[in-house]
């Protein structure tokens, strides 16, 4: 009988910790870190569109390598990794206690938060491992990783179906991201009432343009995964770098990649706006 009040008090203390200033600060630091990565990916993509990219990859690994080459690069990577760990911690608190907002405690919302916790936890670990000297961690090519995973999956029983379904899911996620951006669904997560009219217009543009660009990249990567499944060729699967490079092979030439690159950088700046105005 006495254990119930103890457990109830424990839940209350845990929820208070999840809603604390420290967790809020961790989330905002995470948005800053996410913004840095997307801005760098946008810059690297722009280099590829306008030249050969100097051998750099336009993905998270390329962004990490770019930071590492700068003065105090290792220190910056430690800060970036810890900020991403903060994002993971915040997502974990959302999974455990629900998100901000009237529908934040829905099982679907909490499940998505749990998935994001795993993702940001992995990214944080990769960045911190790289900062600690394991240069094989975090900077690996997204293209090779995608092809290796696809090759393994295709060897499983029913592997073609598994890869195809995964590809379709990624396409659906990309479309979902783009549509939500067009509909300005991000408004419900931001403190719009605290913004000036000019700030609202800028953030609306960044959120829509950046979200659509990000969604397109996801959707196209998913299409390549489906193609790899249908043709049973792991080499058809592409990570972010090869997906972005594929935009230069369209009739629009490199200019479509320029547009997408600027959009990804816009999403990075939008992430910085989230660090300021996100409801956490």
């Amino acid at each position: 009988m006495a254990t119930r009040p103890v457990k109830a008090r424990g839940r209350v203390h845990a929820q208070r910790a999840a809603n604390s200033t420290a967790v809020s600060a961790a989330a905002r630091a995470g948005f800053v870190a996410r913004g840095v990565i997307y801005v760098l990916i946008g810059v690297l993509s722009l280099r590829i569109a306008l030249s050969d990219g100097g051998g750099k990859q336009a993905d998270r690994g390329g962004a990490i390598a770019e930071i590492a080459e700068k003065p105090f690069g290792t220190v910056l990577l430690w800060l970036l990794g810890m900020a991403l760990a903060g994002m993971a911690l915040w997502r974990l608190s959302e999974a455990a206690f629900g998100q901000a907002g009237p529908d934040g405690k829905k099982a679907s919302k909490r499940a998505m938060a749990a998935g994001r916790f795993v993702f940001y936890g992995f990214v944080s670990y990769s960045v911190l491992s790289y900062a600690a000297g394991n240069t094989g961690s975090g900077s690996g090519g997204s293209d090779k990783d995608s092809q290796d995973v696809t090759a393994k999956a295709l060897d499983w029983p029913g592997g073609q179906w598994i890869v195809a379904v995964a590809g379709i899911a990624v396409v659906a996620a990309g479309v979902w991201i783009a549509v939500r951006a067009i509909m300005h669904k991000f408004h419900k997560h931001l403190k719009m009432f605290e913004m000036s009219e000019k700030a609202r217009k800028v953030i609306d543009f960044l959120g829509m343009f950046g979200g659509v660009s990000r969604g397109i990249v996801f959707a196209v990567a998913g299409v390549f995964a489906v193609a790899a499944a249908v043709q049973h060729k792991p080499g058809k699967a592409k990570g972010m770098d090869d997906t972005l490079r594929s935009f230069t092979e369209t009739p629009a030439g490199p200019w479509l990649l320029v547009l997408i690159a600027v959009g990804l950088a816009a999403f990075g700046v939008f992430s910085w706006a989230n660090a300021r105005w996100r409801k956490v």
Side-chain angles (χ1 to χ4, degrees):
M1 294 295 290
T3 59
R4 287 186 179 179
V6 172
K7 288 181 179 179
R9 286 197 298 270
R11 282 196 297 269
V12 169
H13 289 316
Q15 190 158 5
R16 283 178 181 172
N19 296 329
S20 68
T21 303
V23 172
S24 175
R28 298 189 191 285
F31 279 113
V32 171
R34 188 181 76 175
V36 169
I37 290 174
Y38 269 96
V39 167
L40 286 175
I41 291 174
V43 170
L44 292 168
S45 301
L46 197 57
R47 288 183 192 171
I48 290 169
L50 300 178
S51 62
D52 61 356
K56 297 291 181 67
Q57 296 175 327
D59 55 17
R60 187 178 67 248
I64 293 171
E66 186 77 5
I67 294 171
E69 293 174 359
K70 301 299 185 234
F72 306 105
T74 301
V75 174
L76 293 174
L77 285 178
W78 277 109
L79 293 173
L80 187 72
M82 288 187 289
L84 290 167
M87 175 71 90
L89 175 64
W90 173 54
R91 292 302 190 184
L92 177 61
S93 72
E94 286 190 327
F97 304 109
Q99 303 177 11
D103 60 346
K105 295 187 181 295
K106 284 184 177 179
S108 58
K109 298 281 187 182
R110 294 170 75 162
M112 288 177 64
R116 287 167 176 158
F117 158 68
V118 173
F119 172 76
Y120 282 110
F122 171 76
V123 175
S124 172
Y125 172 78
S126 298
V127 175
L128 292 174
S129 295
Y130 190 97
N134 182 8
T135 55
S137 177
S139 65
S142 59
D143 305 313
K144 186 178 184 301
D145 291 344
S146 296
Q147 291 168 8
D148 288 346
V149 170
T150 302
K152 289 179 181 178
L154 287 174
D155 286 338
W156 296 342
Q160 280 185 281
W161 285 104
I162 294 171
V163 174
V165 170
I168 292 170
V170 174
V171 172
V175 173
W176 181 75
I177 290 169
V179 170
R180 286 178 60 84
I182 292 170
M183 296 175 66
H184 296 90
K185 289 290 188 180
F186 49 82
H187 278 188
K188 66 180 181 180
H189 297 299
L190 299 175
K191 300 174 183 178
M192 302 299 293
F193 58 90
E194 292 186 1
M195 303 177 194
S196 65
E197 184 179 352
K198 184 177 180 180
R200 282 196 297 270
K201 289 180 179 178
V202 171
I203 289 170
D204 275 350
F205 172 75
L206 292 172
M208 183 179 67
F209 181 32
V212 170
S213 300
R214 184 169 171 248
I216 289 172
V217 174
F218 270 75
V220 173
V223 169
F224 284 126
V226 173
V230 172
Q231 301 178 31
H232 207 282
K233 293 181 178 179
K236 291 288 183 179
K238 298 181 186 296
M240 177 173 270
D241 180 63
D242 270 355
T243 298
L244 289 167
R245 290 175 189 271
S246 71
F247 290 115
T248 63
E249 300 168 5
T250 66
W255 299 109
L256 179 56
L257 179 54
V258 168
L259 185 65
I260 296 294
V262 175
L264 292 176
F267 183 77
V269 178
F270 176 70
S271 294
W272 293 338
N274 273 259
R276 169 63 177 83
W277 285 293
R278 179 83 179 206
K279 297 173 184 175
V280 296

